[in-house]
Amino acid sequence: MLRLENNVQGFARLGLVVSKKAAKRANRRNYMKRVIREWFRRHQCVLPPHDFVVRVRKAFDKDSAPQARQELCEMMLPPTAQKTKE
């Protein structure tokens, strides 16, 4: 789930929510946060200046992380940037 708001800073910012409902073990929750933060860090320069809040509803692991990254691309990147990243 993604929620975004405009901000006045002029750059994209990230907020993360990974609850115990999504993953009981802290190491799994931390892994998911690391994957999302790394994706955000790599794409921050092409993201619009919004406050993005990502809430993980379904857990993912190393096998399904590429699919999670693809979903982030589809939700957060503007359509012109999606074409250049593929």
Side-chain angles (χ1 to χ4, degrees):
M1 177 177 178
L2 176 71
R3 180 176 178 178
L4 60 103
E5 299 283 332
N6 290 330
N7 69 28
V8 294
Q9 281 78 23
F11 56 88
R13 297 187 304 173
L14 177 66
L16 286 171
V17 179
V18 183
S19 70
K20 284 187 179 181
K21 262 188 181 177
K24 297 284 183 200
R25 306 282 302 202
N27 61 345
R28 292 189 67 207
R29 292 193 305 270
N30 291 338
Y31 173 76
M32 289 186 273
K33 288 190 252 185
R34 278 195 308 271
V35 167
I36 295 168
R37 271 193 227 107
E38 178 64 16
W39 182 92
F40 185 81
R41 184 188 66 79
R42 289 181 176 204
H43 295 90
Q44 192 171 12
C45 61
V46 295
L47 290 171
H50 296 305
D51 292 336
F52 294 94
V53 179
V54 177
R55 181 175 183 176
V56 177
R57 293 200 173 199
K58 184 178 176 189
F60 60 87
D61 56 8
K62 291 179 183 178
D63 296 332
S64 57
Q67 180 183 1
R69 289 183 190 104
Q70 181 61 35
E71 289 178 18
L72 286 170
C73 284
E74 292 169 2
M75 288 190 296
M76 295 172 76
L77 286 176
T80 55
Q82 287 179 10
K83 292 176 184 172
T84 60
K85 292 290 179 186
E86 292 177 351

